[in-house]
Amino acid sequence: MTARAERRAAPKPARIPRATKGPLRVPGDRPPYSADEGRRLAIRADLLDFTADPGWETPGDASPGLRWRPDHWLLIEQGRIAGVQREAPDATWPTEDHRGRLLLPGFIDTHVHMPQLEVIASYGTALLDWLETYTFPAELRYADPQVCAAGASRFLDALLAHGTTSAVVFPTVHKASAEALFAAAEARGMRVIAGKCLMDRHAPPALTDTLQSAERDSVELIERWHGRARLAYAHTVRFAPTSTDAQLALAGRLLAAYPGTYMQTHVAEHRDELRWVAELFPSARSYLDVYDREGLIGARSVLAHGIWLDDADRALLARHGAQIAHSPSSNLFLGSGLMDWRATEAAGTSVSLASDVGGGTSLSMWRTMADAYKVQAMRGERLSAWKALHAATRGAAVALGLEREIGSFDVGCVADLALWQYAAGPVDAVRDAAATSLHERLFALMTLGDERNLLASYVAGRSSYVAA
Ligand code: GUN
Ligand code: ZN
């Protein structure tokens, strides 16, 4: 069916019911997340975080925005950061002494697919064939709520075992998959932004919704989960080809109707996809315009990839405060292209980092950063460890409007943390020992490190993963 015929055949959109229980809470404007008041912990380690974007200048050990506090104590009260100090706290504080280890804010993965652990590392295809051959069949299994529950737990535990404590996540089209993800995130106290996938065409029939079911399921999920614990709802348009115009319009209306909700999708990832979008939406100026004309581009819009954007697209993203979730591992693995980080940022658009598993080949944000370095090297640019680490922590938090909650050791932020060893094997140990500057040391860790370097993760000051 052509796009125009689909538009004619689309049923008239229903009215979107408003939330009935007073104003929606915006995650980030909430009291501290903590079940047990008065909980305290002091952690001794090398503390590294950022107060601002370090930019593209040659990195030094005193680069702007870098906050390096070696052998300091991080004080946590009621799940939030209460302070940082050089001296040991008084004897009333429970302590963990990890001197000689590196403590970072927990990583933020701004684009990752819960049901795709099963298809990570699948051979031989580019985006559109990969979706059909591997991804859609895997996602079909999430029609079963038991598969959803097991998949959500496995997925979030895997994130924590990679030092990632917050994520913007695609479940599947099934309402049960979003339910399971939110419930599992709430049980772990994690900050997760997600929503059921909207896709009403160009996918196996069992993996499509309808205008009516999409609206009903979205509204029910928003009212149940948005603003609860540390969760937020994202209207999750899979990508333009799998939504009719009517469904894109529905997503735009839902985004406008529910303040504080996010929108996530894919844009301009692969050239074959671009050609298809141009055929499906002949009146759109560009791929991004397909979303923009339905009101889907705003300050809470997270668009994965953005490789094949033009200057007008980048300016539009900047005007609306939307962000690109750069997914270098996926872009290399699927052969999609080399994202122009500097042009995107020069236009005023934030760039965060994302694993995009299972297009991406690792949940590790270290590996993602290393791939980002290689992508930029292919473009003739050099990505410092500072720039990459900022994008995976505070930069992502700022782009999501959550910098008062996550991404740094600022007093008041939730104590979502990851504790790392600088080297996990003989090769990175010898490289680490040879480093003569802080940046050299961290750049080697970024290039060689992965989840094997992780010692522990903490969510809201509570231990959520300890390496065996
Ligand atoms: N475009 C539409 N769906 C997907 C997906 O699951 N992964 C990636 N990388 N791109 C997509
Ligand atoms: Zn993706």
Side-chain angles (χ1 to χ4, degrees):
M1 201 189 277
T2 66
R4 206 159 295 167
E6 270 168 358
R7 209 167 17 236
R8 273 200 306 274
K12 219 171 158 326
R15 219 172 56 79
I16 295 160
R18 288 283 190 157
T20 50
K21 297 182 228 77
L24 274 165
R25 290 162 304 181
V26 177
D29 296 340
R30 294 171 44 72
Y33 177 83
S34 173
D36 45 354
E37 299 293 309
R39 185 160 49 91
R40 299 206 299 179
L41 178 64
I43 302 177
R44 179 182 191 172
D46 295 340
L47 309 188
L48 193 153
D49 71 335
F50 296 88
T51 56
D53 187 337
W56 291 91
E57 284 75 41
T58 307
D61 290 359
S63 287
L66 171 68
R67 187 159 56 180
W68 168 239
R69 290 174 286 190
D71 198 13
H72 275 60
W73 290 86
L74 183 81
L75 307 185
I76 302 163
E77 276 187 293
Q78 296 174 27
R80 291 195 180 249
I81 293 164
V84 171
Q85 60 189 47
R86 196 182 288 278
E87 319 73 45
D90 67 51
T92 63
W93 283 80
T95 58
E96 287 184 21
D97 188 342
H98 299 299
R99 75 187 81 172
R101 312 291 202 202
L102 174 68
L103 191 68
L104 296 176
F107 287 135
I108 303 167
D109 186 341
T110 56
H111 179 78
V112 58
H113 296 257
M114 173 181 103
Q116 294 182 13
L117 291 187
E118 288 94 326
V119 295
I120 195 169
S122 291
Y123 172 77
T125 50
L127 173 66
L128 299 177
D129 286 343
W130 175 81
L131 285 172
E132 257 184 59
T133 312
Y134 301 113
T135 310
F136 289 161
E139 295 191 9
L140 280 167
R141 292 197 279 279
Y142 282 71
D144 178 350
Q146 283 187 343
V147 170
C148 296
S153 291
R154 184 173 58 235
F155 171 73
L156 292 181
D157 287 342
L159 287 185
L160 293 169
H162 287 73
T164 297
T165 50
S166 298
V168 185
V169 185
F170 269 60
T172 65
V173 70
H174 312 97
K175 184 185 176 203
S177 74
E179 282 280 353
L181 176 61
F182 283 132
E186 184 182 38
R188 288 161 181 75
M190 290 174 75
R191 182 164 285 280
V192 164
I193 299 171
K196 79 150 229 103
C197 232
L198 299 167
M199 40 198 296
D200 65 350
R201 64 169 171 171
H202 295 143
L207 210 56
T208 55
D209 51 12
T210 65
L211 210 52
Q212 289 75 17
S213 73
E215 177 169 348
R216 187 192 59 234
D217 290 351
S218 298
V219 167
E220 284 174 14
L221 286 164
I222 292 165
E223 298 202 336
R224 177 154 183 185
W225 293 106
H226 180 63
R228 175 162 156 180
R230 301 179 70 196
L231 310 172
Y233 197 80
H235 310 284
T236 301
V237 176
R238 180 174 209 118
F239 68 156
T242 45
S243 284
T244 57
D245 295 66
Q247 190 176 62
L248 294 170
L250 168 69
R253 290 199 305 282
L254 287 168
L255 182 62
Y258 290 96
T261 55
Y262 291 79
M263 192 286 287
Q264 60 173 340
T265 192
H266 299 86
V267 72
E269 178 179 1
H270 192 277
R271 274 189 281 200
D272 294 342
E273 171 205 22
L274 249 74
R275 275 188 283 275
W276 194 22
V277 170
E279 278 169 30
L280 292 171
F281 301 93
S283 64
R285 192 203 70 80
S286 67
Y287 189 161
L288 186 70
D289 184 45
V290 173
Y291 300 136
D292 182 48
R293 63 191 192 172
E294 302 297 354
L296 286 167
I297 306 302
R300 289 171 183 267
S301 301
V302 183
L303 296 111
H305 308 296
I307 300 168
W308 305 102
L309 298 174
D310 62 19
D311 288 346
D313 291 328
R314 294 192 189 101
L316 189 143
L317 290 172
R319 263 199 316 282
H320 289 282
Q323 69 172 292
I324 291 296
H326 175 37
S327 310
S329 167
S330 168
N331 298 161
L332 294 169
F333 185 72
L334 295 175
S336 302
L338 307 172
M339 204 275 289
D340 193 339
W341 188 327
R342 289 200 75 154
T344 308
E345 244 181 38
T349 300
S350 303
V351 176
S352 55
L353 275 171
S355 68
D356 192 29
V357 161
T361 53
S362 171
L363 288 176
S364 166
M365 294 305 285
W366 292 115
R367 289 207 182 189
T368 303
M369 289 183 258
D371 283 339
Y373 178 86
K374 293 168 193 168
V375 166
Q376 293 313 309
M378 288 298 292
R379 300 195 61 90
E381 303 289 351
R382 298 295 158 186
L383 177 71
S384 73
W386 304 152
K387 180 83 186 159
L389 276 165
H390 175 262
T393 55
R394 183 183 173 278
V398 170
L400 293 167
L402 292 172
E403 69 273 21
R404 287 166 53 207
E405 287 289 300
I406 53 174
S408 78
F409 296 143
D410 283 356
V411 169
C413 275
V414 177
D416 291 346
L417 318 167
L419 182 72
W420 302 94
Q421 52 184 339
Y422 291 93
V427 174
D428 52 347
V430 84
R431 182 65 187 89
D432 183 56
T436 57
S437 74
L438 181 64
H439 184 266
E440 188 180 347
R441 197 172 193 202
L442 266 291
F443 183 73
L445 173 55
M446 162 177 140
T447 307
L448 303 172
D450 58 24
E451 67 275 21
R452 285 168 291 192
N453 296 68
L454 184 65
L455 296 167
S457 296
Y458 304 79
V459 170
R462 206 191 286 278
S463 171
S464 59
Y465 170 81
V466 179

